[in-house]
Amino acid sequence: MLRYRSAETELPGDPVQLAAALAESGLFDQHVVYEREDDFWFAGGALGEVVVTRSGIRRRWLADETTTPLGSHPLRQVHEQLAGMAVEDWRAYGWMAFEFSHLHVDRPDRAGDEDLLHLVVPHSEVRLRQGRAVVRSADQETLEALVALLGKPVTRTVAPPRPIDVTDTDGRYPELVARAIEEIRATDLQKVIISRTVPVPFRVDFVGTYLHGRSHNTPARSFLVDLGGRRVVGFSPETVAEVGADGEVVTQPLAGTRARGFGDREDERLRAELLADPKEISEHVLSVKLAEEELATVCSPGTVSVRDLLSIRQRGSVQHLGSSVHGRLAGTATAWDALRAVFPAVTASGIPKAPAFDCITRLEGGRRGIYSGAVLMAGSDGELDAALVLRSLFEEDGRTWLRAGAGILAGSTPARELEETCEKLRSVAPYVVPALAPVRDDAPGVVRPRG
């Protein structure tokens, strides 16, 4: 059984800057930064990993690899594979694609051929909070290198951002919204989230974008992911699932949107407009009701409750109607059962979910991938925290893009839903930093552990 070596150290600066410095250190070939409340977690390298595709679950621990067929509860299998890794007090970090949802409704043929989930148990991990850091690593040399790095002042100069034009240049989005409205009026579908992509026409400095974007956002969670050939930086407005080691579970649906950032008076006017809009309130209440029903399937009777109903949550360039749905896991239910119950988030899919998946597939074409899925961290103690992947920038296969959607109901109007996507995209689009030099493949004088 492997045991992490550990150390604690004081921090000379801002945890956000230090997390970025760890990501750029050259110590690891892949990493995840995850902000949860007052902590920034950095996971570097991979002792082991679990990857899910529609054809099975691939697990690697050090040099040993196995493949297992998918069963009826893939997330429970993921948990079992993680628990079988020979390391004490493991934590896993990574992402789930939106298309993982097709496994929940017995439609693996619709999930595509791409990876649906990728989690790593890191070689090294750093927990950063104001003034202190806890460092864990699989070897002493890397542990010492990390402690030394954290003791140095951060001197990184971030290049100026190059804002991205978020207008609907091809003009297709209003037509998609109109088609979704027709389908809602003609079927049992009540709500569906239809999204659009905005290409980024230059190579991006993801760490610089994270630093710029985080300083201008007020996210529920933020993340910086470079894993398995995919890169994501995001400022999530809400969590899909928060599960404590004691079995307490929370999901925080946000639905109903207005812009913000125009000064106190205009922001207040828009807030009042949001709270009085029947369409926005209906959209929110429908979302909260489904989230409540989903949690009830894995929680003890009588423990599910809604708190802070229709409260205003400020998230970067927008303000949302928000609520929190709480419960306590029943019997033998785990955090992975809770995640299965609420994934994908109702606020990024629709109501009911199965016909919403069909509508999304027909109207959007192609796959969403990590967009509207989750970036998450989970632990051997039963904790799990999953952020909804919105307000994010993506890179894969040489392509870089932004993406945003809006919740469509029978009472929606295409022009307003288009404007809503623009409002959301402005949480990231002004802060995209171009890469000024080729990404370094190596760095002299640093340790590069396997994975």
Side-chain angles (χ1 to χ4, degrees), residues 4 50 71 84 127 160 225 239 275 289 368 418 422 428 448:
Y4 284 111
V50 176
R127 182 180 185 177
V225 179
T239 55
L275 286 165
K289 183 175 183 294
R368 286 183 167 186
L418 173 60
C422 293
V428 184
R448 293 185 64 81

Side-chain angles (χ1 to χ4, degrees), residues 14 36 66 167 216 251 310 317 322 333 337 354 400 426 448:
D14 179 9
R36 184 179 70 179
T66 59
T167 56
H216 290 87
T251 185
L310 294 171
S317 60
D337 297 307
T400 308
R426 292 184 188 114
R448 293 185 64 81

Side-chain angles (χ1 to χ4, degrees), residues 256-324:
T257 305
R258 284 297 185 276
R260 64 178 293 269
F262 301 107
D264 291 345
R265 180 175 296 180
E266 179 63 8
D267 286 358
E268 179 59 36
R269 186 190 70 79
L270 290 168
R271 186 177 305 119
E273 181 180 287
L274 174 59
L275 286 165
D277 189 317
K279 180 265 179 186
E280 304 286 12
I281 293 173
S282 175
E283 178 185 355
H284 185 82
V285 171
L286 285 170
S287 300
V288 171
K289 183 175 183 294
L290 180 56
E292 189 177 14
E293 292 169 353
E294 290 173 333
L295 274 196
T297 65
V298 293
C299 289
S300 297
T303 66
V304 178
S305 63
V306 179
R307 305 176 192 175
D308 303 320
L309 181 65
L310 294 171
S311 58
I312 296 293
R313 312 284 175 89
Q314 296 183 351
R315 297 289 188 255
S317 60
V318 294
Q319 48 193 326
H320 293 291
L321 297 175
S323 300
S324 301

Side-chain angles (χ1 to χ4, degrees), residues 190-201:
Q190 295 176 280
K191 171 185 174 179
V192 64
I193 285 73
I194 299 299
S195 67
R196 66 184 181 92
T197 60
V198 175
V200 175

